[in-house]
């Protein structure tokens, strides 16, 4: 499905939810406590940037707002943000998000805006004070949702939400591990669509789609005899403890890792599939906020205080460029490249995203030391420089074929 078809599908899911009387809270930052919103009887929906929206930001946003939030702001200006009961903004993440949320408050005073403040520092999620801080912030958010929308937190609804989100993550992680072992087992575009459908509308139906796909893949891998390897890869990725011995993947190269922050996996697959003679089978794994980092957030599985559980889960997610911990993130990326026998890394940077642009040189440096080739590709929701991006990716792939990639 082309990118515009996918976007229309997302908008359709949102409309369907509204038509069935569901109240939707849109969110922007990937590490949002979905279970909390569901426990209040509402539906969290990841807002999506849409190409071709008339620009409305010039009069309001400073130039340092990134292309992603500019697009979202323009969507709101153009009344295309969808039927939302409220919008959840993060605090303490990046200047762009802080800026757009401040401007939004003034320009759209009738919108019901919520805020979740994230801790500055991240550490051991089991012991760090960050967990205490985020627990109380989530509790405050819960109070605000309760009073704004007159919907109380329900423990039963929370438990149902936890079961559903965990089922999604378990299935999606298996699919990620299967593609790492054999990328042609399912197109990356299909994985991206499944994950996006869930993040747009986390419902029983969207989880079933992911689960059924996982079962189909599991059956096909059982026949090919690599199921055990896939399960080992899944365990290693979940624990983020990667064995010293690299995997023995199946299929043709080159094997590409896609790195970046708040970039849509669907945009990446549409871009790659648009390049002549290239398919997204080359993408072995992504390290994107709305892909790997959402999927490999730790499940909630204890019977402790729900708010503490949600905080611990969020803080367990693979790190973002908006957070501390650059060294650890870069080390994980290069370890992953070694473990999955990656030939090259494509670093996608959201245009005007300071965190992405700050992180990219460190990734390049580390990959160079690990003898993995990289290229940097600025991207925006419009794919406005698409021809140039395609040429850059194509040249990069050719350079790998000529023997510049990692020696297997
Ligand atoms: S893309 Fe970058 S600058 Fe934009 S909201 Fe995300 S982290 Fe902030």
């Amino acid at each position: 499905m082309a990118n515009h078809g996918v976007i229309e599908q997302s908008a359709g899911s949102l409309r369907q939810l509204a038509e069935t009387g569901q109240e939707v809270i849109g969110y922007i930052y990937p590490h949002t406590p979905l279970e909390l919103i569901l426990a209040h009887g509402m539906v969290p929906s990841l807002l999506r940037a849409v190409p071709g929206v008339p620009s409305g930001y010039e009069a309001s946003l400073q130039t340092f707002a990134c292309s992603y939030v500019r697009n979202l702001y323009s969507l709101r200006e153009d009344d295309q943000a969808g039927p939302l009961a409220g919008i959840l903004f993060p605090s303490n993440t990046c200047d762009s998000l802080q800026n757009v949320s401040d401007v939004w408050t003034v320009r759209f005073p009738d919108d019901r805006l919520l805020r979740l403040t994230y801790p500055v520092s991240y550490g051991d999620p089991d012991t760090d004070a960050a967990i205490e801080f985020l627990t109380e912030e989530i509790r405050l958010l819960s109070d605000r949702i309760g009073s704004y929308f007159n919907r109380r937190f329900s423990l039963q609804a929370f438990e149902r939400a936890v079961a559903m989100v965990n089922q999604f993550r378990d299935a999606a992680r298996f699919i990620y591990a299967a593609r790492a072992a054999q990328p042609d087992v399912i197109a990356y575009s299909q994985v991206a669509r499944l994950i996006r459908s869930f993040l747009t509308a986390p419902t029983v139906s969207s989880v079933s789609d992911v689960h059924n796909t996982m079962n189909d893949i599991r059956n096909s891998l059982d026949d090919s005899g690599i199921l055990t390897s896939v399960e080992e890869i899944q365990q290693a990725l979940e624990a983020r403890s990667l064995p010293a011995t690299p995997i023995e993947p199946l299929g043709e190269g080159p094997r590409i890792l896609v790195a970046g922050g708040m970039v849509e996996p669907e945009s990446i697959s549409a871009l790659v599939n648009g390049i002549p003679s290239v398919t997204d089978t080359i993408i072995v794994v992504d390290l994107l906020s709305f892909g790997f980092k959402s999927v490999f957030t730790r499940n909630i599985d204890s019977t402790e205080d729900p708010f503490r559980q949600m905080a611990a889960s969020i803080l367990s997610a693979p790190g973002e460029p908006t957070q501390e911990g650059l060294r650890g993130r870069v080390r994980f990326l290069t370890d992953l490249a070694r473990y999955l026998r990656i030939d090259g890394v494509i670093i996608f940077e959201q245009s005007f995203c300071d965190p992405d642009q700050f992180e990219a040189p460190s990734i390049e440096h580390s990959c160079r030391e690990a003898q993995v080739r990289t290229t940097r590709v600025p991207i925006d929701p419009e794919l406005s420089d698409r021809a140039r991006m395609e040429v850059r990716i194509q040249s990069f792939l050719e350079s790998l074929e000529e023997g510049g990639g990692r020696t297997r």
Side-chain angles (χ1 to χ4, degrees):
M1 188 182 291
N3 207 24
H4 63 268
V6 172
I7 289 165
E8 185 45 44
Q9 196 174 53
S10 278
S13 316
L14 212 51
R15 273 197 304 273
Q16 266 177 10
L17 285 175
E19 281 163 15
T20 55
Q22 304 265 24
E23 286 195 294
V24 177
I25 293 188
Y27 66 94
I28 300 173
Y29 193 60
H31 306 297
T32 288
L34 307 184
E35 299 89 345
L36 177 79
I37 296 170
L38 290 161
H40 279 272
M42 304 180 82
V43 181
S45 180
L46 176 64
L47 299 184
R48 91 170 296 147
V50 175
V53 184
S55 165
Y57 61 81
E58 283 92 344
S60 303
L61 295 185
Q62 300 294 323
T63 49
F64 55 74
C66 70
S67 56
Y68 184 69
V69 301
R70 287 178 186 203
N71 186 289
L72 294 180
Y73 187 83
S74 298
L75 272 176
R76 175 62 185 86
E77 276 266 333
D78 206 39
D79 278 334
Q80 290 187 49
L84 301 174
I87 301 178
L88 173 59
F89 283 99
S91 254
N92 236 357
T93 53
C94 68
D95 288 350
S96 280
L97 278 169
Q98 194 64 47
N99 187 31
V100 76
S101 66
D102 290 347
V103 172
W104 204 297
T105 310
V106 174
R107 293 293 288 247
F108 309 112
D110 293 335
D111 285 4
R112 291 176 161 191
L113 303 188
L114 300 158
R115 210 179 278 271
L116 178 60
T117 303
Y118 291 80
V120 174
S121 65
Y122 290 71
D124 179 348
D126 295 323
T127 58
D128 201 88
I131 203 168
E132 303 298 336
F133 176 88
L134 190 56
T135 299
E136 293 315 309
E137 286 297 317
I138 294 175
R139 214 185 294 279
L140 284 172
L141 175 62
S142 177
D143 291 345
R144 250 174 259 136
I145 294 174
S147 57
Y148 243 172
F149 304 100
N150 197 24
R151 286 182 176 267
R152 301 183 75 79
F153 179 90
S154 152
L155 193 56
Q156 271 187 333
F158 173 74
E159 286 167 357
R160 278 198 304 274
V162 167
M164 184 174 73
V165 175
N166 286 357
Q167 192 183 15
F168 159 74
R169 290 207 185 107
D170 288 340
R173 287 175 194 156
F174 178 86
I175 296 172
Y176 260 82
R179 288 198 80 263
Q182 187 180 337
D184 63 2
V185 75
I186 180 172
Y188 181 68
S189 57
Q190 200 180 336
V191 179
R193 182 186 61 74
L194 286 167
I195 292 171
R196 199 354 132 162
S197 296
F198 174 81
L199 296 178
T200 300
T203 58
V204 172
S205 155
S206 61
V207 175
S208 294
D209 287 346
V210 184
H211 200 257
N212 293 340
T213 304
M214 176 201 72
N215 281 337
D216 290 346
I217 295 175
R218 185 178 277 280
N219 291 337
S220 71
L221 292 179
D222 211 6
D223 293 341
S224 70
I226 62 161
L227 189 53
T228 307
S229 312
V230 168
E231 287 169 347
E232 284 167 8
I233 294 170
Q234 184 180 350
Q235 281 167 16
L237 295 179
E238 280 177 3
R240 262 167 274 150
S241 167
L242 306 177
T245 310
I247 65 167
E248 294 297 338
L250 299 180
E252 301 284 310
R255 291 173 58 82
I256 300 297
L257 184 153
V258 171
M262 291 168 64
V263 175
E264 282 282 355
E266 284 176 332
S267 299
I268 303 296
S269 65
L271 179 65
V272 169
N273 284 324
I275 302 173
S277 313
V278 177
T279 70
D280 63 17
T281 306
I282 61 166
I283 300 174
V284 170
V285 68
D286 71 59
L287 275 180
L288 302 176
S289 309
F290 305 136
F292 185 96
K293 294 175 195 170
S294 291
V295 167
F296 281 88
T297 298
R298 191 190 295 168
N299 286 352
I300 291 176
D301 61 5
S302 77
T303 51
E304 287 174 39
D305 170 18
F307 299 96
R308 190 179 170 84
Q309 292 175 45
M310 287 184 272
S313 170
I314 288 172
L315 293 177
S316 76
E320 294 287 346
T322 48
Q323 301 167 346
E324 289 185 334
L326 170 65
R327 196 172 295 170
R329 287 195 291 281
V330 170
R331 194 181 317 119
F332 178 64
L333 188 151
T334 47
D335 281 353
L336 195 59
R338 173 194 53 73
Y339 175 57
L340 297 183
R341 292 189 184 271
I342 295 297
D343 296 309
V345 174
I346 303 179
I347 306 163
F348 283 96
E349 301 164 89
Q350 191 72 249
S351 296
F352 312 116
C353 170
D354 285 348
D356 279 2
Q357 282 158 24
F358 181 75
E359 186 126 319
S362 300
I363 297 176
E364 284 182 306
H365 178 75
S366 261
C367 285
R368 204 164 36 246
E369 287 193 339
Q371 297 183 316
V372 180
R373 285 202 162 192
T374 58
T375 189
R376 285 167 68 170
V377 180
I379 189 169
D380 60 37
E382 311 280 333
L383 297 184
S384 53
D385 208 7
R386 184 169 190 155
R388 197 192 297 229
M389 287 189 260
E390 288 180 358
V391 168
R392 187 176 289 199
I393 294 169
Q394 196 160 28
S395 316
F396 180 63
L397 296 176
E398 284 166 9
S399 76
L400 295 177
E401 273 169 23
E402 284 161 12
R406 177 197 288 278
T407 308
R408 296 234 190 126

